């Protein structure tokens, strides 16, 4: 289906601007169990429609954290959970009959069977560590008056593994938000332990923005041989050759560009600072915008989108994880502080054959 045809029809509530730009409404998919906090990562089973959610519970002290991976039925009913305790989860992806995830706290790529049951123990696939040199180099920023600013980054020393995606051959790609790197794990679905290769390291993958995370969501275009990656703190979507090569900026001002998903011909970006999901074409132009924040419901959960962090496709609908994570040190300045129950939202994908239930 061409991009024009996909945008011409859709199910569900939608408004169109004069230029054809689409604005989608979101609705509730599932309210998560009461002890599940901060859904950060999301994936679906392509055959059964099962939904997998990973948490980013980073409370202090660490002994209070209750991180887990939750398995839901296709209609959002909780079926099983794997408990990870103090270590938060970032990237999550389905590949070759298993669920792969980034254990942020343990600096590991791990996996679980797609049909895992309660108390399942994940298998280690690969480990990540500090890089040398400890900083990715300097960035030159051009100004309108012809001058340039030189930005030098300090040593990170911690592998902030964040985004995860697979290509068709089963190679895994992982972003590092602090060390400014993209890793490649060859044949990750068939090796244990796996070797981690640094595919690229670049100042464009780190940030000096108020959001502390640089390189974030990853999406792979196998057919065109392109890797897309978000820089959350800079509000950018970047791209590079899949086999390695120079990074370039595709889109700017996507505030809090978090999770990234390539579906059909659109790049779906969870814009956590805009409380929205935006669909960009491959020239970086926004063609679709879904969701907005509508307040806190009587159950303590967000209405609409609040700090969305990840998306996943399930049939003709897009699922969205409301991370709702407070970031500032000041009390009372963020709606996220009022959230006591977390949820997943949904909206109909443009071009779908029918509205989702």
């Amino acid at each position: 289906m061409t991009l024009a045809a996909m945008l011409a029809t859709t199910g569900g509530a939608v408004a169109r601007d004069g230029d054809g730009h689409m604005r989608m409404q979101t609705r509730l998919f599932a309210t998560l169990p009461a002890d599940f906090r901060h859904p950060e990562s999301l994936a679906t089973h392509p055959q059964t429609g099962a939904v997998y959610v990973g948490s980013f519970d980073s409370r202090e002290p660490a002994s209070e954290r209750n991180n887990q991976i939750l398995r839901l039925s296709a209609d959002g009913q909780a079926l099983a959970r794997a408990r990870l305790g103090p270590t938060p989860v970032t990237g999550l992806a389905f590949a070759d009959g298993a669920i792969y995830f980034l254990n942020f706290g343990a600096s590991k790529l791990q996996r679980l069977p797609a049909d895992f049951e309660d108390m399942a123990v994940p298998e280690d696939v690969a480990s990540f560590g500090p890089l040398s040199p400890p900083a990715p180099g300097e960035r030159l920023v051009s100004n309108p008056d012809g001058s340039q600013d030189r930005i030098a980054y300090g040593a990170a020393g911690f592998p902030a593994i964040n985004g995860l995606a697979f290509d068709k051959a089963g190679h895994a790609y992982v972003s590092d938000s602090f060390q400014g790197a993209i890793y490649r794990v060859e044949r990750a679905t068939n090796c244990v332990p796996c070797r981690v290769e640094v595919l690229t390291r670049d100042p464009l993958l780190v940030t000096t923005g108020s959001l502390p995370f640089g390189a974030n969501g990853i999406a792979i275009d196998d057919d065109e041989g392109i890797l897309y990656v978000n820089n959350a703190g800079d509000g950018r979507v970047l791209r590079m050759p899949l086999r390695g090569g120079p990074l370039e900026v595709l889109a700017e001002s996507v505030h809090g560009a978090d999770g990234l998903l390539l579906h059909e011909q659109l790049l779906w970006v969870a814009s956590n600072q805009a409380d929205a999901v935006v669909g960009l074409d491959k020239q970086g132009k926004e063609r679709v915008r879904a969701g907005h924040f509508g307040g806190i419901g009587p159950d303590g959960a967000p209405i609409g989108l609040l700090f969305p962090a990840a998306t996943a496709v399930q049939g003709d609908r897009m699922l969205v994880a409301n991370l709702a994570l407070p970031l500032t040190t000041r009390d009372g300045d963020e709606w996220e502080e009022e959230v006591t129950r977390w949820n997943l939202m949904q909206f109909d994908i443009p071009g779908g054959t029918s509205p989702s239930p």
Side-chain angles (χ1 to χ4, degrees), residues 8-31:
T9 60
T10 187
V14 59
R16 290 181 177 83
D17 295 338
D19 60 0
H21 182 276
M22 301 178 66
R23 297 184 181 273
M24 310 293 295
Q25 295 182 15
T26 60
R27 59 195 185 279
L28 181 67
F29 172 71
T31 300

Side-chain angles (χ1 to χ4, degrees), residues 296-297 300-301 306 326 332 334-342:
I296 307 297
L306 181 60
E334 297 176 279
W335 283 104
E336 288 84 350
E337 297 173 45
E338 299 187 19
V339 174
T340 58
R341 193 76 183 265
W342 283 262

Side-chain angles (χ1 to χ4, degrees), residues 4 37 71 83 86 88 93 133 150 154 172 223 227 239 280 294 316:
R37 298 170 56 88
R71 178 167 67 91
R83 298 189 181 274
R150 185 183 300 272
D223 295 335
L227 181 149
R239 65 183 175 191
L280 310 178
D316 290 339

Side-chain angles (χ1 to χ4, degrees), residues 122-180:
E123 178 185 23
D124 292 348
V125 176
S127 297
F128 303 83
L131 296 178
S132 182
E138 296 182 334
R139 189 200 302 189
L140 292 176
V141 179
S142 297
N143 298 314
D145 62 0
S147 65
Q148 286 186 319
D149 296 324
R150 185 183 300 272
I151 301 176
Y153 297 94
F158 176 76
I161 50 177
N162 200 330
L164 172 64
F166 284 82
D167 64 16
K168 291 179 179 178
H171 308 315
Y173 298 82
V174 176
S175 66
D176 186 331
S177 297
F178 294 170
Q179 298 190 111

Side-chain angles (χ1 to χ4, degrees), residues 30-353:
T31 300
L32 299 174
D35 65 345
F36 191 103
R37 298 170 56 88
H38 304 297
E40 203 279 344
S41 48
L42 196 59
T44 54
H45 193 300
Q47 282 77 48
T48 68
V51 180
Y52 306 89
V53 193
S55 67
F56 195 88
D57 185 354
S58 56
R59 290 174 291 176
E60 294 295 345
S63 58
E64 295 184 2
R65 300 175 189 171
N66 183 23
N67 283 291
Q68 50 193 289
I69 294 178
L70 186 65
R71 178 167 67 91
L72 306 175
S73 65
D75 61 354
Q77 302 301 309
L79 298 177
R81 64 183 82 198
R83 298 189 181 274
L84 302 173
T87 58
V89 178
T90 45
L92 190 66
F94 179 93
D96 196 22
I99 286 298
Y100 289 77
F101 65 95
L102 296 175
N103 188 322
F104 184 86
S107 300
K108 292 180 178 181
L109 173 63
Q110 297 179 311
R111 66 179 161 220
L112 288 162
D115 59 351
F116 72 85
E117 298 293 342
D118 286 339
M119 308 308 294
V121 177
E123 178 185 23
D124 292 348
V125 176
S127 297
F128 303 83
L131 296 178
S132 182
E138 296 182 334
R139 189 200 302 189
L140 292 176
V141 179
S142 297
N143 298 314
D145 62 0
S147 65
Q148 286 186 319
D149 296 324
R150 185 183 300 272
I151 301 176
Y153 297 94
F158 176 76
I161 50 177
N162 200 330
L164 172 64
F166 284 82
D167 64 16
K168 291 179 179 178
H171 308 315
Y173 298 82
V174 176
S175 66
D176 186 331
S177 297
F178 294 170
Q179 298 190 111
I182 302 293
Y183 305 107
R184 182 176 184 267
V185 184
E186 186 173 358
R187 307 285 182 185
T189 59
N190 292 306
C191 59
V192 175
C194 299
R195 184 177 67 88
V196 175
E197 166 196 359
V198 178
L199 181 65
T200 190
R201 198 166 185 216
D202 194 286
L204 283 173
L205 297 172
V206 288
T207 184
T208 57
S210 57
L211 281 171
F213 290 90
N216 207 302
I218 289 182
I220 305 297
D221 188 333
D222 278 285
D223 295 335
E224 296 187 11
I226 297 175
L227 181 149
Y228 296 92
V229 58
N230 292 336
N231 184 316
D234 287 359
R236 285 174 167 172
V237 182
L238 312 169
R239 65 183 175 191
M240 61 174 286
L242 186 56
R243 295 188 177 277
L247 277 163
E248 63 174 340
V249 177
L250 174 68
E252 306 259 14
S253 300
V254 186
H255 302 300
D258 201 332
L260 182 62
L261 175 67
L262 176 63
H263 180 64
E264 299 294 348
Q265 300 181 62
L266 290 179
L267 287 160
W268 296 92
V269 185
S271 181
N272 62 40
Q273 297 301 284
D275 298 329
V277 173
V278 298
L280 310 178
D281 63 25
K282 292 184 179 179
Q283 286 70 50
K285 181 186 294 183
E286 182 179 315
R287 305 299 296 270
V288 184
R289 176 171 288 251
H292 66 279
F293 176 56
I296 307 297
D299 61 349
I303 299 172
L305 300 185
L306 181 60
F307 204 123
T311 59
V313 172
Q314 189 200 60
D316 290 339
R317 62 183 167 188
M318 188 80 70
L319 307 183
V320 188
N322 270 332
L323 175 59
L325 179 70
L327 285 181
T328 70
T329 57
R330 180 180 176 185
D331 292 334
D333 65 332
E334 297 176 279
W335 283 104
E336 288 84 350
E337 297 173 45
E338 299 187 19
V339 174
T340 58
R341 193 76 183 265
W342 283 262
N343 56 19
L344 307 180
M345 304 301 290
Q346 62 177 313
F347 63 90
D348 295 311
I349 299 172
T353 57

